[in-house]
């Protein structure tokens, strides 16, 4: 007897019900083929079929949503702002293959799309330190001063005792990138901002010394432009076999809200990083540390830790005490004991580090004294406050510059 069930469903209580049969997708194709994968999005929502992480005995039987673009900050876990970052020695995640794509797969996608998940402008000691650590997590574009400098970097540099061949570019060849970290000297901020704009990023984050955020925003039209801080330490030395970069103190990197994706990448690279809602306070605290440590390290030509010993300690503490009232008027919420403890802790944590101002002095370069001590002196002048000790070290450092 032929079936009386109507086509397209079944009769139930006199009404036609459609069968809830899932729509099938042919085994030979899947929806990701229609659009390229964004490198940073793949780190969080990879397609097992595309990157070879799906078990071979299971085929793609249902369609899935393609990766439609770069990872937006609101897709990052809120936990980045709720708890301290793990220590620098914490191992990387060993989650399942579908949770995080291998760096090799992301590199292949970057090569195909021409867009990097992350770029660093400024291949100094700290820039190379960050790039070498991050390269194991996501491909990094390193932007050098010019094409010749980029070629030298691609030939290889030693970072933390290991050979490192960065994907280096000159400014005119800089690729597009989702996020850009600026680590150039303060005097090169405007030029770096223009380069960053051409890379069409979601955001540009300065981790420079001094207060460069306003200048960066004036020359960069990215959707997000802001300044964070880092107390990571590294120094560079030249030898017969080329340059060597030595990490010299595990510090912490604080980023403003909106840069959660950058903080997460740093954490995954084994660096301490977190989002700081009150980033303005953190920047003032960093300025206090820099204004106390950098000029003295440069003038006495000693590593940071030596400033905790006589005869340097009295000068270090004098600079802290003199700067504190001016910075407190700007919003720094530290009393004298806390301010001294903050500066001493950084000097101890980076005891073997050569401060950036010392590295510049030894290399015969102009220092960032105007961006650090000069910024403090300008704040004091606005309030008609004299800072004789800071004025003296500013004069001495300027006199020793080339």
């Amino acid at each position: 007897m032929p079936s009386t069930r109507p086509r397209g469903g079944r009769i139930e209580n006199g009404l036609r019900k459609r069968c809830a049969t899932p729509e099938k997708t042919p085994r030979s194709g899947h929806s990701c083929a229609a659009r390229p994968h964004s490198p940073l999005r793949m780190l969080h929502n990879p397609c097992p079929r595309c990157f070879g992480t799906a078990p071979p005995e299971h085929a793609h039987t249902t369609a899935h949503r393609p990766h439609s673009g770069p990872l937006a900050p609101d897709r990052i876990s809120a936990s980045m702002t709720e708890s301290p970052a793990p220590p620098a020695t914490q191992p990387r995640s060993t989650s399942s293959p579908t949770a995080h794509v291998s760096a090799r797969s992301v590199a292949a996608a970057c090569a195909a799309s021409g867009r990097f998940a992350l770029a660093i402008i400024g291949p100094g000691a700290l820039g190379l330190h960050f790039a070498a650590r991050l390269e194991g997590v996501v491909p990094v574009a390193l932007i050098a001063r010019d094409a010749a400098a980029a070629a030298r970097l691609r030939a290889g540099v030693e970072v933390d005792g290991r050979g490192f061949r960065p994907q280096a570019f000159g400014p005119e060849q800089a690729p597009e990138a989702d996020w850009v970290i600026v680590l150039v000297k303060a005097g090169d901020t405007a030029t770096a901002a223009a380069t960053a704009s051409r890379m069409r990023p979601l955001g540009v984050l300065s981790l420079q010394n001094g207060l460069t955020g306003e200048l960066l925003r004036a020359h960069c039209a990215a959707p997000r432009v802001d300044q964070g801080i880092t107390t990571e330490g590294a120094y560079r030395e030249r030898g017969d076999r080329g340059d060597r970069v030595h990490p010299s103190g595990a510090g912490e990197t604080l980023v403003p809200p909106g840069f959660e994706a950058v903080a997460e990448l740093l954490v995954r690279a084994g660096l301490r990083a977190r989002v700081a809602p009150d980033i303005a306070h953190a920047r003032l605290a960093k300025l206090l540390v820099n204004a106390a440590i950098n000029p003295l390290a440069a003038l006495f030509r000693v590593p940071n830790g030596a400033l905790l010993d006589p005869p340097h300690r009295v000068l270090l503490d004098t600079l802290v005490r003199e700067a504190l009232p001016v910075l407190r008027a700007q919003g720094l919420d530290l009393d004298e004991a806390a301010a001294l403890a903050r500066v001493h802790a950084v000097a101890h944590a980076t005891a073997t580090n050569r401060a950036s101002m010392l590295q510049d002095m030894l290399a015969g370069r102009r220092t960032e004294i105007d961006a650090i001590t000069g910024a403090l002196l300008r704040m004091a002048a606005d309030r008609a406050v004299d800072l004789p000790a800071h004025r003296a070290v500013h004069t001495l450092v300027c006199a020793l510059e080339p």
Side-chain angles (χ1 to χ4, degrees), residues 325-331 376-386:
V326 174
L327 294 176
R328 282 180 59 85
Q330 296 288 325
L376 178 65
L377 291 173
R378 288 188 289 274
M379 289 179 185
D382 290 342
R383 297 181 176 276
V385 175
D386 187 29

Side-chain angles (χ1 to χ4, degrees), residues 177-190:
D178 290 345
W179 302 93
V180 176
I181 296 177
V182 177
L183 277 167
V184 299
K185 296 296 182 183
D188 296 325
T189 300

Side-chain angles (χ1 to χ4, degrees), residues 281 288 320-321 324-325 328 332-342:
H281 178 273
L288 173 68
V320 173
R321 292 189 177 100
L324 189 57
R328 282 180 59 85
L332 180 63
D333 187 19
L334 292 176
D335 59 20
E336 183 177 301
L340 289 168
R342 175 75 63 95

Side-chain angles (χ1 to χ4, degrees), residues 128 142 144 147-159 162-169 236 241-243:
L128 284 166
L142 192 61
R152 289 193 295 271
L153 287 169
R154 290 194 299 270
V157 60
E158 183 180 308
V159 180
R162 299 181 180 180
F164 175 47
R165 292 179 178 270
Q167 300 184 68
F169 304 85
R236 190 175 191 168
R241 297 183 180 180
D243 289 358

Side-chain angles (χ1 to χ4, degrees), residues 35-67:
R35 302 185 67 173
H37 294 262
S38 167
L40 191 53
R41 170 63 65 84
M42 292 185 309
L43 292 172
H44 301 268
N45 186 24
C47 165
R49 178 71 177 276
C50 293
F51 299 103
T53 56
E57 64 273 15
H58 292 94
H60 245 23
T61 58
T62 57
H64 63 282
R65 184 167 49 193
H67 311 297

Side-chain angles (χ1 to χ4, degrees), residues 310-357:
H312 313 307
R313 174 70 168 265
V314 63
L315 294 173
L316 182 73
D317 291 354
T318 297
L319 291 179
V320 173
R321 292 189 177 100
E322 188 177 88
L324 189 57
V326 174
L327 294 176
R328 282 180 59 85
Q330 296 288 325
L332 180 63
D333 187 19
L334 292 176
D335 59 20
E336 183 177 301
L340 289 168
R342 175 75 63 95
V343 173
H344 295 168
V346 173
H348 179 74
T350 60
T352 62
N353 187 43
R354 299 173 187 172
S356 61
M357 203 172 291

Side-chain angles (χ1 to χ4, degrees), residues 18-257:
R18 290 197 173 272
C19 299
T21 303
E23 182 180 351
K24 294 184 178 179
T25 301
R27 289 174 181 260
S28 59
H30 64 293
S31 59
C32 284
R35 302 185 67 173
H37 294 262
S38 167
L40 191 53
R41 170 63 65 84
M42 292 185 309
L43 292 172
H44 301 268
N45 186 24
C47 165
R49 178 71 177 276
C50 293
F51 299 103
T53 56
E57 64 273 15
H58 292 94
H60 245 23
T61 58
T62 57
H64 63 282
R65 184 167 49 193
H67 311 297
S68 56
L71 182 70
D74 58 5
R75 292 292 304 276
I76 303 297
S77 169
S79 64
M80 293 297 301
T81 62
E82 294 170 356
S83 60
T89 56
Q90 178 173 334
R92 294 187 192 132
S93 171
T94 56
S95 54
S96 64
T98 57
H100 297 289
V101 183
S102 68
R104 181 180 301 177
S105 299
V106 181
C110 281
S113 67
R115 185 177 180 89
F116 282 74
L118 184 71
I120 295 175
I121 301 179
L126 203 55
L128 284 166
H129 169 54
F130 272 83
R133 295 293 293 269
L134 285 159
E135 186 71 20
V137 174
V138 65
V140 177
L142 192 61
I143 313 303
R145 180 177 295 273
D146 51 42
R152 289 193 295 271
L153 287 169
R154 290 194 299 270
V157 60
E158 183 180 308
V159 180
D160 197 16
R162 299 181 180 180
F164 175 47
R165 292 179 178 270
Q167 300 184 68
F169 304 85
E172 299 304 321
Q173 295 78 38
E176 293 185 2
D178 290 345
W179 302 93
V180 176
I181 296 177
V182 177
L183 277 167
V184 299
K185 296 296 182 183
D188 296 325
T189 300
T191 302
T195 299
S197 289
R198 294 194 298 270
M199 299 173 76
R200 301 178 62 188
L202 293 174
V204 177
L205 174 67
S206 165
L207 293 178
Q208 300 165 271
N209 287 329
L211 300 176
T212 61
E214 185 175 343
L215 180 60
L216 197 64
R217 282 188 288 273
H219 292 84
C220 184
R224 296 176 184 83
V225 181
D226 211 338
Q227 183 175 13
I229 68 164
T230 185
T231 54
E232 285 284 326
Y235 66 92
R236 190 175 191 168
E237 64 179 8
R238 303 188 184 279
D240 296 337
R241 297 183 180 180
D243 289 358
R244 294 191 296 270
V245 174
H246 301 278
S248 54
E252 185 178 34
T253 300
L254 306 182
V255 306

